[in-house]
């Protein structure tokens, strides 16, 4: 119940229901009204806080019988606008409120700047809210939608607002069906249908938006499923979605396994590919950090994710990781060990994994390296099973050798018997270590004395040489055991060091490739060390503040450690004022040593973040310094020529030594006037550019007709009779812009086109309307702009350094792009078919309440 209470109140927090659509017109508002009518019929107190029917008669009919709250009127920039009356809703306090268009930006004058903030207030007051939103308005998908449709979305809502909804219902419609609805006039007015179908509502756009919506909702459903399984302690795999885990050893077969796993994943829509590498405490034979890095890159290229976990028992770690991620299939490579190696070491990882997989399908993939590996490294620290096996071998192997040699007693002498026994002791030492070899040497000495040293079948020794041989045999056996044990320890340490270095290298490499280092480091450390949560806490003057953390909420695995044990907390200092806190299993001393080294990486990332904050604070000052330097340079260069011309003309006119004719006097006055006009225009451009850079430019956006702005822009040109030909400007709706600034943009762009246009050819100015945007094209027939120079032409002060004017476009285009973006538009360069340059100015179309009177 605590989570259902609104913060700071004693009453229940309202519940949020979101109808999510892939595009306008799929029926979100209709479904919302249908739900409202059902709740009203059940006796609920339902009020329509804000609804936008867009003139759709079927949607308007659904309002019959519902209480619609009157809208509040607000004045803004000489216009009257309607908004949802939040104060009236809070005073009315209905049980359920309908709020359409969650991403809407409110007109200034209300409580909040965004409608989703109004919804938060309603929920905090205990009122249930039903709302609608399109997938293109989610903040995280804004740039993706822009790439798909070519249209930026100015109104967005944070994903977390929608993610926290108690219910998210997808309103889906096939692209073809939506286009038919639009063609029948059920979405937009008739005059907008053709443009919409040709641009935003193309089949490709709608299909891509539909896929985005389906995948986003599927992700939220998957989160809910994981939370349910975790809260109910369900460890079994639920095959609601195909997830393929491929196990990587760092061996040469990795690429084959990854590609096979990717093909398996691609057979099902929405399948996930996860690659996992298990780092054992004693290192993994054949593991190459370089090969793992290449395989990780391949996995990410194929759309999968790479994970690394620590586990002594590799099959258990693999299966625990797979179950934690609800994987349905596990891909392993067949063993690279030969028959001899498999005979000596028993069942491999693949066989053990298959035997314990239960409800997870295991694919054993053959590859060209099957059976071509080397013998396993025998110098490792022995597991308990191998120690017990070695002890038993120390007891059994001497007896087996005795039985074998007894069959050849007459043909084999004592020296050969002793050497064969010596070989058996060495084999036992390699299998079970020093203790097993000691047992084997003692048993072998006794059996060698009793069965092969005369007198046989008696523990007495008849000859001195035989006594010496037996003593030497025992000494050599003990020496070999000691050397093998020592080699085991050294090899284990080296392998451990290799594993630690591999872990740190992989973690550091993954962080260096990312832009957000701290969250990546914490998440990788949680996965690598098999912890439930990892948090970085910073000590402040008021206590301890959590800066960043990673937990199983973001990745439900727990590091491949099998069933969760009693949790313990491990703390590692990170610099003088921060600490890394890990919650989960008990870390062995060796892992803590790696964690300490890893904490140093966290300290570096933390310090880098702090330096980035400081640099961000300094950057505006540096930008201002650069702007002042550029302004001074521009003034020193671009002011010089017109100022000198004006001074020379006025000085000549004031000179008493020369008598000018009326024609000469008029020419000098015209030169002075033209120079002063250039100075005025340049100073205006410099001031506006400085305001743009400082963020101090004041905008007054209103509905503006292009056919009214263009004549004023042409009047401001140096040559008001320049060959400029407008096309279809009166057919497009008004744009939302600041009229004086739009006039400046057009004047600068047209001036640039006239400067570079072919002699005798007119500059064309054409306009078209697409969905909510108006595109204005200024077309010339000049030499054009090379693709590599298209971004450079918009850099300010291109004419610095006394370069020729044909090599740059001065300050005009830089200012024009800045003004266009400030008004919510864009300015781009395109090729003119047949040769030349087209400047594409895109501006938002004015809405009904923003159109000029």
């Amino acid at each position: 119940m605590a989570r259902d209470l609104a913060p700071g109140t004693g009453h229940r927090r309202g519940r949020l229901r979101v109808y999510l659509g892939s595009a306008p017109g799929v029926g979100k508002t209709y479904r919302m009204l249908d739900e409202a009518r059902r709740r009203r019929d059940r006796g609920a107190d339902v009020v329509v806080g804000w609804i936008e029917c867009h003139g759709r008669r079927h949607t308007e009919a659904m309002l019959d019988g519902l209480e619609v709250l009157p809208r509040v009127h607000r004045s803004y920039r000489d216009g009257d606008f309607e908004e949802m009356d939040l104060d009236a809703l809070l005073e009315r306090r209905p049980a359920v409120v309908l709020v359409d268009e969650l991403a809407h930006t409110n007109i200034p004058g209300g409580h909040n700047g965004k409608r989703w903030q109004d919804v938060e207030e309603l929920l905090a007051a205990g009122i249930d809210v039903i709302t609608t939103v399109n997938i293109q308005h989610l903040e995280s998908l804004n740039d993706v939608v822009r790439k798909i449709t070519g249209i930026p979305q100015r109104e967005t809502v944070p994903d977390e607002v929608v993610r926290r909804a108690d219910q998210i219902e997808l309103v889906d419609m096939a692209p073809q069906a939506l286009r038919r609805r639009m063609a029948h006039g059920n979405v937009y007015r008739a005059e907008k249908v053709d443009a919409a179908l040709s641009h935003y509502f193309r089949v490709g756009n709608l299909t891509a938006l539909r896929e985005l919506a389906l995948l986003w909702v599927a992700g939220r459903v998957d989160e809910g499923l994981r939370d349910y399984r975790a809260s109910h302690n369900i460890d079994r795999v639920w095959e609601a979605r195909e997830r393929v885990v491929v196990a990587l050893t760092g061996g040469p077969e990795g690429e084959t396994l990854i590609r096979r796993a990717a093909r398996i994943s691609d057979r099902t829509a929405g399948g996930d590919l996860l690659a996992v590498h298990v780092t054992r405490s004693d290192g993994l034979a054949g593991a190459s950090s370089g090969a793992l890095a290449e395989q990780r890159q391949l996995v990410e290229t194929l759309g999968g994710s790479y994970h690394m976990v620590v586990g002594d028992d590799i099959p258990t770690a693999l299966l625990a990781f797979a179950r934690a991620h609800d994987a349905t299939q596990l891909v392993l490579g067949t063993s690279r060990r030969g028959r001899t190696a498999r005979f000596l070491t028993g069942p491999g990882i693949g066989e053990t994994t298959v035997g314990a997989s239960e409800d997870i399908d295991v694919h054993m993939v053959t590859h060209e390296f099957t059976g071509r590996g080397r013998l396993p490294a025998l110098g490792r620290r022995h597991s308990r099973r191998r120690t017990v096996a070695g002890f038993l071998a120390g007891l059994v192997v001497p007896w087996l050798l005795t039985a074998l040699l007894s069959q050849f007693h007459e043909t084999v002498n004592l020296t050969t018997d002793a050497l064969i026994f010596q070989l058996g002791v060495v084999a036992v030492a390699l299998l079970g270590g020093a203790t097993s070899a000691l047992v084997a040497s003692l048993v072998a000495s006794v059996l060698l004395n009793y069965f092969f040293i005369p007198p046989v079948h008696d523990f007495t020794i008849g000859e001195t040489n035989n006594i010496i041989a037996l003593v030497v045999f025992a000494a050599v056996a003990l020496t070999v055991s000691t050397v093998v044990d020592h080699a085991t320890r050294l090899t284990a340490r080296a392998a451990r060091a290799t594993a630690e270095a591999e872990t740190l290298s992989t973690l550091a490499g993954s962080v260096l490739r990312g832009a957000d280092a701290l969250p990546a480091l914490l998440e990788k450390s949680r996965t690598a060390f098999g912890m439930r949560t990892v948090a970085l806490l910073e000590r402040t003057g008021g206590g301890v503040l959590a800066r960043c953390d990673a937990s199983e909420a973001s990745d439900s695995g727990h590091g491949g450690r099998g069933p969760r044990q009693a949790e313990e907390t491990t703390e590692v200092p990170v610099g003088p004022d921060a600490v890394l806190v890990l919650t989960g299993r008990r870390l062995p001393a060796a892992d803590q040593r790696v964690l300490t080294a890893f904490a140093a990486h966290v300290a570096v990332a933390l310090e880098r973040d702090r330096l980035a904050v400081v640099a961000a604070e300094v950057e505006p000052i540096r930008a201002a310094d650069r702007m002042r330097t550029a302004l001074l340079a521009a003034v020193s260069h671009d002011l010089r020529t017109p100022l000198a011309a004006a001074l020379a003309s006025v000085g000549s006119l004031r000179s008493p030594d020369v008598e000018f004719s009326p024609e000469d006097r008029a020419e000098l006055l015209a030169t002075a006037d033209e120079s002063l006009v250039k100075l005025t225009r340049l100073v205006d451009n410099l001031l506006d550019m400085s305001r743009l850079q400082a963020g101090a430019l004041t905008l007054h956006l209103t509905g503006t007709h292009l056919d009214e702005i263009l004549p004023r822009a042409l009047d401001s040109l140096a040559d008001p009779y320049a060959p400029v030909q407008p096309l279809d400007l009166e057919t497009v709706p008004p744009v939302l812009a600041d009229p004086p600034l739009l006039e400046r943009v057009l004047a600068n762009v047209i001036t640039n086109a006239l400067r570079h246009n072919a002699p005798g050819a007119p500059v064309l100015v054409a306009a078209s309307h697409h969905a909510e945007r108006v595109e204005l094209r200024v077309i010339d027939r000049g030499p054009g702009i090379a693709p590599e120079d298209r971004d450079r032409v918009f850099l300010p002060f291109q004419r610095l350094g006394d370069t020729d004017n044909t090599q740059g476009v001065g300050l005009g285009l830089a200012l024009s792009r800045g003004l266009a973006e400030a008004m919510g538009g864009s300015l781009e360069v395109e090729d003119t078919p047949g040769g030349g340059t087209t400047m594409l100015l895109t501006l938002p179309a004015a809405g009904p309440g923003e159109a000029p009177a």
Side-chain angles (χ1 to χ4, degrees), residues 107 139 153 202 231 279 311 318 391 466 540 659 753-754 762 783 802 846:
I107 296 297
E139 181 66 39
Q153 299 294 328
R202 296 194 299 266
S231 62
T279 301
L318 284 176
F391 180 79
N466 292 337
T540 62
E659 186 69 28
L754 290 170
D802 292 324

Side-chain angles (χ1 to χ4, degrees), residues 809-824:
V809 290
L811 191 62
L813 288 183
L815 177 62
S816 298
R817 170 176 273 191
L819 294 177
E821 292 177 348
M823 292 185 291

Side-chain angles (χ1 to χ4, degrees), residues 279-283 308-310 492-508 521 524-531 561 570-574 580 582 585 587-603:
T279 301
R280 296 197 311 197
S281 59
D282 60 350
M308 186 175 66
V309 298
V310 177
R493 291 176 185 175
R496 176 70 191 186
T498 301
E500 293 173 359
E502 177 189 331
T503 301
L504 292 175
S505 173
T506 304
L507 293 174
L521 274 169
K524 290 296 180 183
S525 65
R526 186 192 68 77
T527 306
F529 293 104
M531 307 303 286
R561 288 285 177 175
T570 304
E571 295 186 3
V572 181
V574 179
L580 194 64
L582 299 91
R585 66 185 182 92
L587 285 180
D591 282 354
Q592 291 187 9
R593 185 172 63 252
V594 179
L595 182 60
T596 302
F598 180 70
H601 288 271
V602 178

Side-chain angles (χ1 to χ4, degrees), residues 17 103 112 238 248 337 411 430 638 644 647 652 705 825:
R17 180 169 185 159
N112 306 296
W238 285 8
L248 302 178
R337 300 176 304 158
T411 58
L430 292 175
D638 287 357
L647 288 174
S652 299
H705 288 288

